[in-house]
Amino acid sequence: MRAKITYFVTAAVLVVYFVLAGDRGILLIEAGSPVTVPFGVAVLVLPLIGVWFLWQTTRFATSADRLARELDAEGGLPVDELVRTPAGRIDRDSADAVFVRRRSETEAAPDDWRSWFRLAVAYHDARDTPRARKAMQRAIALHDGRPVRA
C-alpha cells in the first residue's frame, strides 16, 4: 500500500510539473523572438514525453497488478521462500536458487503467462530489474492474447 501511495504522490507532483513546464513553454512561444520560440517548443516537448512515460508506466503497473490479483485468486502467487540477511535484504544465493527453478518452469511452459509472472518476480528478487520488467511485459502480453515481442 505504501508503494501505491508513493506512486500516486509522485505522479501528482509530475503532473503539476508538466502543467507548469507546459505553461512556460507557451509563454516562450508567445514571446515570439527567434530565440524563445525554439526554446518554447523544446520546453513543450519534454512534458509531452513525460506524460507519455507516466502513462506507459501506469498502464504497466495496473496490468501487472491485475495479473497478480488473478494469480492470487487462483492460489498461484509465488511463495516467499527466500533467505534474508539480518538487515532484511534478500540473500543473493537464495534468490539465484529460486530463479533457476522459475526459469526452468518457464522453459517448460513458455506460453503460460503464470510462469512468466513468477519468473519476473524471481528476476526482481535477484535485483535484475530490466529483465524483470521484460518478463512481466511478456506475461501481460500472453495473458491479454497480444503478440509477444522477442
Side-chain angles (χ1 to χ4, degrees), residues 74-98:
E74 296 174 357
L77 277 179
V79 178
D80 186 1
E81 54 191 312
L82 299 167
V83 176
R84 299 188 186 274
T85 65
R89 293 184 58 100
I90 295 172
D91 178 65
R92 184 75 159 165
D93 293 333
S94 174
D96 288 344
V98 171

Side-chain angles (χ1 to χ4, degrees), residues 20-99:
L20 292 174
D23 182 54
R24 296 296 174 227
I26 291 170
L27 289 174
L28 285 168
I29 292 170
E30 287 175 346
S33 78
V35 174
T36 61
V37 171
F39 278 133
V41 171
V43 168
L44 280 179
V45 168
L46 292 175
L48 292 176
I49 292 170
V51 166
W52 174 84
F53 183 76
L54 184 62
W55 173 251
Q56 293 298 319
T57 303
T58 303
R59 268 189 26 191
F60 175 78
T62 56
S63 295
D65 190 48
R66 177 174 42 93
L67 265 59
R69 284 192 313 270
E70 186 172 331
L71 201 54
D72 186 31
E74 296 174 357
L77 277 179
V79 178
D80 186 1
E81 54 191 312
L82 299 167
V83 176
R84 299 188 186 274
T85 65
R89 293 184 58 100
I90 295 172
D91 178 65
R92 184 75 159 165
D93 293 333
S94 174
D96 288 344
V98 171
F99 170 77

